[in-house]
Amino acid sequence: MAMAQYAVLLYERVPPADLPEEVKRGHLEMPAKAAGLGGRIISGMALDEPETATAIRGDLVTDGPFIETKEVLAGVFVIEAPDLDHALAIARLTPTVQGGVEVRPLIGYEVLEES
């Protein structure tokens, strides 16, 4: 049986460039720890600073973050886990400085190829 996929969204108040080395190292150690919990990290990426964002709302395109918040989406891990409880256990491994994580099930879409 295939495992479910989840997005682990990492929110921080600290810019990625300013994360302490132990937090960066902790992110790199997550695949081995996830495997120990019966899951798998498929991919993980940090996002560039919010100021580099371009937002699209209908026909309006704006530079920079659309909403002012104390925490910003800083990165994402895509994981596979047998169920939500396992996904939450893996997400708890995510080191943060002044933020937290959010877990969301992923809904697969079939990519249509041009004919």
Side-chain angles (χ1 to χ4, degrees):
M1 183 172 140
M3 290 196 282
Q5 292 186 346
Y6 298 88
V8 178
L9 306 171
L10 172 60
Y11 293 90
E12 276 289 5
R13 291 182 184 191
V14 177
D18 295 339
L19 289 174
E21 286 304 314
E22 63 268 14
V23 171
K24 293 177 186 177
R25 192 170 38 257
H27 291 158
L28 296 175
E29 295 169 353
M30 284 187 62
K33 292 179 178 179
L37 293 171
R40 182 169 76 103
I41 305 282
I42 296 173
S43 66
M45 293 173 233
L47 299 177
D48 204 345
E49 304 295 330
E51 295 75 21
T52 65
T54 302
I56 302 171
R57 301 279 178 160
D59 291 334
L60 179 64
V61 177
T62 59
D63 290 334
F66 193 74
I67 299 173
E68 290 291 327
T69 62
K70 292 181 181 179
E71 295 175 345
V72 296
L73 181 60
V76 61
F77 288 100
V78 176
I79 66 171
E80 284 185 333
D83 54 39
L84 180 59
D85 289 336
H86 282 87
L88 294 174
I90 293 168
R92 284 187 185 102
L93 299 172
T94 309
T96 61
V97 177
Q98 294 179 351
V101 297
E102 178 180 342
V103 177
R104 291 195 196 176
L106 292 174
I107 300 169
Y109 292 96
E110 186 176 328
V111 178
L112 302 177
E113 295 188 27
E114 292 184 37
S115 51

